[in-house]
């Protein structure tokens, strides 16, 4: 080999090494996870210091606001900040919620858990529109008899009832994180699809950010749904080799499909499996960690847990649907006490119309902290924020005409002073 | 805050990925790479108040912590086992399939060859391709800039031979 040829070969190798080190990155979500862990270790005084700096920065960005008003806001925020921060116990690695994202590294970065920094929040509610955010067309699998709390056999009744409470609710946390995402653009959906090796296949229909075709799959990406509120989602349908994959359990088959397409959840989940005939749905139920309280499941518009779902037929995956991996910011908000939550549940307005007359009496017997998606407005334009907010989900059953109904009540966990009126 | 010192947030944003890549080139599993990377930034966070840019660049400072953390990892877990697994190209027990799928490595084979280089060559090559100047590589490896260059070029040629033999 001549000296020139050797030189060319070494330069090519250097370029490969540059690429190798440039493209080697941790799994999605790790960057945000680690940052949250680092934030959790910050001393109290530094959190206060940064909180004040953020307020001052924001005041500087709004010169039209009179100085006196800024000063008044500062006093209020300082008060709230000190009270909030003093109770902030983020714990160590185990107490950090994972987040996910497919944006470039520089954009994939969780904000610090600044208290209340998203401002006043919209309130989560249950919705009489009962479809799940993950329902893409007719392939919905019926839920199985309850082997897991996430699957239910009873219909949910959201109409008016007379409520009592005999359950037990313990709330240790005084604050909980609220997570915020931005409604993605079509370009983001294209980028996400490209990361899976898919290209645009056809013009996207209303409510969709794009439809795509890959080597062995088709995929659609949908923007947030308004009613019931849901985050942006993807649905992938394997069309080729994936369908021949054979695994010993539905969960393994589901995970194999997700892993093959780089879609395995980067967030913490629990698994539930439901069957209906020859169809099986494996649910990777998403959870968010509440420091001092533990994991809280994400629930949909009727209070059912959800996350990423894989449908299988004859042991082979036929569809996967789940939340679009988005970058999440987080901010700590004060939450109400267990007593306040119970009072709010008993005084709550019905989330649906009256279809049973007279209004049944229902004894609520259980409650848990959960997360629900909320949007800040009716319009879901790209860039507008959506939130994962903590709530209390109360449940009880009653029987009417031989049918046992499940009554659910959703109460925002965030302190009412932090919610839009 | 000291003048011309980036905020820790900026440092994290700019270097987290590069530190992970550097560590990943040394160890055999993504889980180990994550653990070490986490340790690096925990250590860096604790020490950041004492960090001064007069003596060392932020990049070199972080990579020194990463190098120490990686050394500590090998000391604790045994380098021989890591090498054996790499040489045999065996899938590593305990490597989470989901994690493997999610990890973004396009040149896994090339990095495996990097991992087989003699220690100092591997470090010189990894640090250089993590974006450090030869001067910074020299500072970290306690040698001159010229010595770092020589070490790097020897590593590059050794790597080329390994790749050739691997392809043959």
């Amino acid at each position: 080999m001549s000296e020139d040829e050797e030189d060319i070969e070494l330069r090519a190798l250097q370029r490969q090494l540059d690429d190798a080190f440039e493209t080697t990155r941790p799994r999605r979500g790790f960057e945000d996870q680690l940052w949250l862990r680092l934030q959790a270790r910050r001393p109290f005084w530094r959190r206060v210091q940064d909180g004040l700096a953020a307020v001052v920065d924001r005041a500087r960005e709004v010169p039209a606001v009179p100085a006196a008003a800024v000063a008044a806001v500062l006093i209020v925020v300082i008060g709230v900040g000190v009270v909030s921060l003093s109770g902030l116990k983020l714990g160590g690695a185990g107490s950090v919620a994972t987040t996910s994202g497919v944006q470039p590294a520089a954009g994939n970065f969780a904000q610090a858990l600044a208290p209340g920094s998203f401002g006043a929040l919209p309130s989560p509610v249950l919705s009489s529109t009962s479809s799940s955010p993950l329902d893409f067309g007719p392939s919905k699998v019926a839920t199985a008899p309850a082997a897991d709390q996430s699957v239910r056999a009873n219909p949910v009744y959201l109409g008016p009832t007379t409520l009592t409470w005999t359950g037990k609710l313990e709330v240790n946390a005084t604050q909980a994180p609220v997570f915020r995402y931005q409604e993605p653009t079509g370009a983001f959906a294209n980028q996400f699809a490209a990361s899976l090796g898919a290209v645009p296949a056809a013009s996207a229909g209303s409510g969709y950010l794009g439809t795509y075709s890959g080597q062995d799959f088709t995929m659609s990406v949908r923007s947030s749904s308004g009613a019931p509120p849901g985050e942006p989602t993807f649905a992938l349908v394997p069309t080729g080799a994936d369908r021949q994959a054979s695994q010993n359990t539905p969960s393994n088959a589901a995970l194999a499909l997700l892993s093959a397409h780089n879609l395995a959840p980067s967030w913490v989940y629990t698994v539930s499996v439901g069957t209906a005939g020859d169809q099986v749905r494996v649910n990777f139920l998403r959870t968010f960690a509440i420091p001092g309280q533990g994991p809280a499941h994400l629930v949909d518009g009727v209070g059912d847990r959800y996350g990423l779902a894989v449908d299988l037929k004859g042991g082979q995956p036929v569809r996967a649907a789940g939340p679009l991996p988005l970058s999440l910011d987080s901010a700590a908000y004060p939450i109400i006490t267990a007593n306040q939550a119970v009072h709010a549940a008993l005084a709550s307005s019905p989330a649906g119309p009256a279809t049973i007359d007279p209004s049944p009496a229902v004894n609520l017997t259980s409650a848990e902290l959960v997360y629900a998606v909320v949007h800040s407005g009716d319009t879901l334009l790209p860039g507008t924020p959506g939130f994962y907010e903590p709530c209390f989900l109360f449940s009880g059953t009653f029987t009417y005409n031989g049918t046992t109904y499940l009554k659910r009540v959703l109460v925002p966990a965030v302190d009412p002073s932090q919610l839009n009126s | 805050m000291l003048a011309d010192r980036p905020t820790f947030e900026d440092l994290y944003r700019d270097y987290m990925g590069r530190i992970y890549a550097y560590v990943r080139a040394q160890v055999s599993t993504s889980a180990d790479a994550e653990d070490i990377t986490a340790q690096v930034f925990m250590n860096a966070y604790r020490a950041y108040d004492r960090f001064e840019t007069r003596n060392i660049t932020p990049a070199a400072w972080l990579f020194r912590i990463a190098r120490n953390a990686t050394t500590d990892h090998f000391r604790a877990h045994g380098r021989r086992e890591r090498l054996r697994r790499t040489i045999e190209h065996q899938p590593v027990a305990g490597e989470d399939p989901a994690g493997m799928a999610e990890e973004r490595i396009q040149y896994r084979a090339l990095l495996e060859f990097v991992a087989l280089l003699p220690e100092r060559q591997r470090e010189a090559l990894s640090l250089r391709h993590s974006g450090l100047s030869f001067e910074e590589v020299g500072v970290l490896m306690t040698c001159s800039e010229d010595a770092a260059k020589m070490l790097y070029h020897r590593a590059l040629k050794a790597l080329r031979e390994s790749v050739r033999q691997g392809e043959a």
Side-chain angles (χ1 to χ4, degrees), chain A residues 121-137:
Chain A
L121 299 169
S123 297
V125 291
L126 293 179
S127 169
S128 54
T129 310
S130 62
S131 65
S132 157
L134 301 182
D135 285 340
F136 281 77

Side-chain angles (χ1 to χ4, degrees), chain A residues 330-400:
Chain A
S330 62
Y333 275 77
I335 62 172
I336 58 179
T337 64
N339 276 343
Q340 288 172 317
V342 170
H343 286 300
L346 298 181
S348 63
S349 302
T355 54
I356 297 175
D357 189 42
S359 294
V362 182
N363 182 30
L364 298 172
T365 54
S366 66
E368 63 176 328
L369 265 166
V370 297
Y371 271 79
V373 172
V374 198
H375 300 132
S376 56
D378 294 334
T379 54
L380 300 173
L381 297 173
T384 57
F387 301 94
Y388 292 98
E389 288 184 26
C391 329
F392 291 98
L393 181 67
F394 289 81
S395 303
T397 57
F398 67 95
T399 302
Y400 177 76

Side-chain angles (χ1 to χ4, degrees), chain A residues 207-229:
Chain A
Y208 286 82
L209 293 170
T211 55
Y212 305 91
S213 176
Q215 193 177 357
D216 297 313
F217 66 94
T218 59
M219 186 175 70
S220 58
V221 176
R222 199 167 72 171
S223 48
S224 287
S225 56

